[in-house]
Amino acid sequence: MTWRSNLPAVRGRLLFDEPLAPFTWFRVGGPADVLFLPADEADLTAFLLALPDEVPRMVLGVGSNVIVRDGGIEGVVIRLAGRAFAGAEIDAEESKVIAGPGALDAAVARAAAKAGIAGLEFYAGVPGTIGGALTMNAGCYGAETKDVLRLARGVDRAGEQRVWELADIGYGYRHSAVPENGMIWLQAVFQGRPGDPSEIHARIDEITARREASQPIREKTGGSTFRNPPGQSAWKLVDEAGWRGKPFGGAMFSPLHANFMINTGEASAADLEGLGEAVRADVAAKTGVLLEWEIKRIGRPA
C-alpha cells in the first residue's frame, strides 16, 4: 500500500491500521488501513481533492447501524467528529434547524424542542447521526427524514461540493437515490413548525420511554437488523422462525426485540453477519419472504 506513504498533509489526524471496533455500537470489526479525522470542512475537502482516485474512501459515523467485518476496511475511513461537524444551529423565527453530519439525531431533536420547533421529535428514537439519517432516510414511529428535510449539502469523493434539494435525493424506505459512498454529507437544513416547548419535550420523553421499554438499547446492538417487508414486520418473521434469544456464536437476536441483533460479549463480526444470514435463509425457507438487511456490512472478511 504505497499510497499510504504519500497521503496529503492534513490539519486533522491520520491514524494507520486503527482498530474500528471501538467506533461501532456492536464493538466488533478489524482496522482501517487509514482512519482520517478531519479538523473541519476545509480540511476534508482539501484531502479529498488531493487523494488519488484509486484509493477507496468511505465515511463512518457513530457506527450505530453497521457491522465492520473482522478483516477491516480497505483505503481511507473518514470519521466526522468534533465541534466542526456535530453542531446544530437554530432559526426559531423560521422554524428551521441546520445540523452538521456528526450531530446526534437525539441531540438535534432536543435542540429543536428547546427552541419551540416541532416535527423533529422522532429523531429522539433514532440511534446515530444526521449524516447517517440523510443517507438512509432514517425514521421511526411514523415519521422519517424526508418529512422534515428541506435541503442538504455534501461533497463528493473528488472534493466537489453540491447542494441537494429534497426531491433530488430520491428517498424511499430506508433508502436514497444518492450513490453509496458517492456523497459525504456536510450539512442538513430541516423545516419544522412552531410548537410549545413543553409539549414537544413531552413527545420526546414519550418516544424515549417507548424505545427504552421495547428495544435493547443498553446492549451492544446496531438497531433494526432487517427492513420491514411490505405489509409485514421483520421482528415477527424472525420471532416466528424461532430465532428470538437463540445463541449463534457470541451473537443472538434480542429476547426483548426480535429484530435487534446483540453482541452478547465476545461476538466477532462473522458471528453477527453469520447469524443474520442464517435467519434470512430460515425465514425464506419457512415463509418465502427474503428479508433485506437494514444494517450495513462493510469491509473485508477475516
Side-chain angles (χ1 to χ4, degrees):
M1 289 183 282
T2 56
W3 60 267
R4 298 206 308 179
S5 304
N6 299 289
L7 288 171
V10 300
R11 287 179 291 110
R13 299 173 67 197
L14 289 170
L15 305 174
F16 295 84
D17 300 313
E18 184 70 13
L20 293 175
F23 296 102
T24 74
W25 286 22
F26 276 122
R27 296 295 188 265
V28 301
D33 289 346
V34 175
L35 177 64
F36 176 37
L37 307 174
D40 50 32
E41 279 188 26
D43 195 28
L44 170 64
T45 301
F47 179 84
L48 292 172
L49 284 167
L51 190 66
D53 289 343
E54 64 271 16
V55 179
R57 65 209 74 183
M58 65 156 291
V59 175
L60 181 67
V62 291
S64 61
N65 193 244
V66 65
I67 296 171
V68 175
R69 294 186 175 112
D70 299 306
I73 297 180
E74 181 183 6
V76 176
V77 174
I78 301 165
R79 192 162 190 268
L80 306 180
R83 287 185 186 175
F85 298 102
E89 302 173 23
I90 302 295
D91 184 342
E93 192 171 310
E94 294 192 15
S95 296
K96 287 195 302 188
V97 178
I98 303 168
L104 292 172
D105 299 324
V108 171
R110 289 192 296 268
K114 185 177 180 180
I117 299 173
L120 280 73
E121 297 92 320
F122 72 94
Y123 272 139
V126 179
T129 61
I130 291 300
L134 292 173
T135 297
M136 65 178 295
N137 189 25
C140 64
Y141 304 132
E144 51 193 358
T145 297
K146 71 175 180 60
D147 300 329
V148 292
L149 184 68
R150 185 167 170 180
L151 57 86
R153 181 167 57 84
V155 58
D156 66 20
R157 57 180 287 117
E160 296 294 324
Q161 289 204 21
R162 174 180 171 179
V163 174
W164 296 72
E165 300 287 342
L166 175 61
D168 298 332
I169 300 176
Y171 279 134
Y173 174 60
R174 303 296 175 265
H175 172 76
S176 83
V178 179
E180 192 75 23
N181 285 330
M183 184 62 50
I184 299 173
W185 298 114
L186 297 174
Q187 189 180 70
V189 179
F190 299 105
Q191 184 64 60
R193 61 184 185 276
D196 180 80
S198 61
E199 293 179 1
I200 300 170
H201 277 296
R203 286 195 289 273
I204 286 176
D205 290 343
E206 179 184 347
I207 288 170
T208 302
R210 182 175 172 186
R211 180 170 173 249
E212 289 181 349
S214 62
Q215 299 175 7
I217 61 173
R218 309 295 179 199
E219 304 281 356
K220 298 172 185 174
T221 187
S224 296
T225 303
F226 303 119
R227 295 184 174 92
N228 289 323
Q232 300 187 71
S233 295
W235 75 263
K236 186 172 286 189
L237 291 166
V238 175
D239 193 22
E240 291 175 350
W243 286 93
R244 182 194 291 263
K246 182 178 178 180
F248 187 98
M252 72 164 62
F253 275 86
S254 169
L256 184 61
H257 193 306
N259 195 28
F260 278 60
M261 275 196 302
I262 59 175
N263 174 357
T264 60
E266 298 298 329
S268 65
D271 287 341
L272 292 161
E273 189 169 13
L275 170 59
E277 290 298 338
V279 170
R280 293 180 74 230
D282 195 28
V283 168
K286 291 174 176 175
T287 68
V289 176
L290 184 60
L291 292 168
E292 293 184 23
W293 283 93
E294 184 168 318
I295 287 176
K296 290 182 171 60
R297 292 95 53 229
I298 57 177
R300 303 168 287 216

